[in-house]
Amino acid sequence: MQRRDLLVLSLGAALAGGSPCAYAAQQGRDYIVLEKPLDVPRGTLVKFFSYGCPFCYRYETMVEPRVLPRVEAAGLRFEPMHVEGRGEYGATASEFFALCLLRDRKNGVSPSSSKSLFRRVTTEIGFAYNRQRERWTKGEPAFVAALCAAAGMEPAEFERERSSEAVASLVASWRSARETAAVSSVPAYVVNGRYQLVTQSIKSIEGMAELIEELVRLP
């Protein structure tokens, strides 16, 4: 069975409720240790994702709304990082998502919140790509128009800010983190910059939350 099929089964089990983890997390089965840790503070949950990934969209809309409030209440900071390599307009998406995240940070809003500009845009673009099969065949301007419509922003405003130092720095940090983690598939969740969840092992939403909470206590 291929990894993609396993992910679907894992997600299906999670949505059905499944059984919570009744065992300690096991390296190699439930998580792997990155050879090179990410440059993030302790207490950070990083998610690598792509707008062109159907599994990312499913986790974002069906799993994370139940997992993230719990782990954030326990003190974890959620840090999504877009991977450019999937989807024709990956680089443009990274710039736009970075701009949204920076605005959320300025307003003190977590990217997991329903009030998050980032979350609104990624959800709407994910829906268009994965559910409506939209591919914006008229080119990048059409994709930018869709992003701006989701954000309530004028395209000219994005064009002014996409090359700003803040946006460029955040996008560059995502590229660096992705290279450090050697992420080959998404979504990929990393706790404390060191411990990457093995998504195939996830049997329930409760189990995923418990695994994250256990990993954050590791050195």
Side-chain angles (χ1 to χ4, degrees):
M1 184 175 292
Q2 295 184 358
R3 184 177 189 278
R4 178 168 296 227
D5 300 321
L6 288 168
L7 273 171
V8 173
L9 291 175
S10 296
L11 183 57
L15 295 176
S19 300
C21 290
Y23 49 81
Q26 180 176 315
Q27 184 176 338
R29 181 190 66 189
D30 304 304
Y31 69 95
I32 60 174
V33 180
L34 299 183
E35 291 187 10
K36 297 180 180 179
L38 302 178
D39 184 19
V40 296
R42 281 189 61 84
T44 301
L45 173 63
V46 169
K47 179 185 77 167
F48 293 99
F49 76 102
S50 167
Y51 84 87
C53 164
F55 300 104
C56 297
Y57 174 72
R58 292 176 189 176
Y59 269 85
E60 179 181 32
T61 57
M62 295 186 283
V63 176
E64 289 176 13
R66 295 174 62 184
V67 170
L68 293 182
R70 171 170 166 172
V71 298
E72 287 185 314
L76 270 77
R77 176 174 175 267
F78 179 54
E79 186 68 31
M81 299 185 178
H82 186 251
V83 174
E84 298 177 351
R86 186 160 186 169
E88 184 176 354
Y89 306 111
T92 299
S94 284
E95 292 170 344
F96 201 94
F97 297 155
L99 175 58
C100 291
L101 271 178
L102 290 168
R103 291 190 174 186
D104 283 337
R105 288 178 183 175
K106 183 177 180 180
N107 293 324
V109 178
S110 167
S112 67
S113 170
S114 60
K115 298 180 181 179
S116 162
L117 179 63
F118 169 85
R119 176 70 59 165
R120 183 168 79 240
V121 172
T122 57
T123 299
E124 289 193 25
I125 292 301
F127 179 82
Y129 187 93
N130 294 292
R131 294 294 181 85
Q132 298 179 321
R133 306 298 180 188
E134 176 63 71
R135 294 298 182 267
W136 300 282
T137 56
K138 293 184 179 180
E140 183 180 290
F143 183 65
V144 170
L147 290 166
C148 289
M153 184 187 306
E154 291 297 325
E157 184 178 358
F158 170 57
E159 292 300 330
R160 285 195 303 271
E161 297 198 41
R162 67 186 302 180
S163 58
S164 68
E165 183 178 349
V167 168
S169 177
L170 185 53
V171 170
S173 74
W174 292 349
R175 293 193 190 109
S176 177
R178 189 259 180 194
E179 292 172 0
T180 297
V183 170
S184 59
S185 60
V186 288
Y189 297 88
V190 180
V191 179
N192 281 352
R194 290 175 54 86
Y195 308 109
Q196 182 177 335
L197 275 64
V198 177
T199 52
Q200 298 99 316
S201 73
I202 297 171
K203 298 298 188 291
S204 70
I205 289 175
E206 176 75 12
M208 181 175 179
E210 288 184 356
L211 177 59
I212 292 170
E213 289 170 344
E214 185 169 348
L215 293 177
V216 79
R217 294 192 292 267
L218 295 180

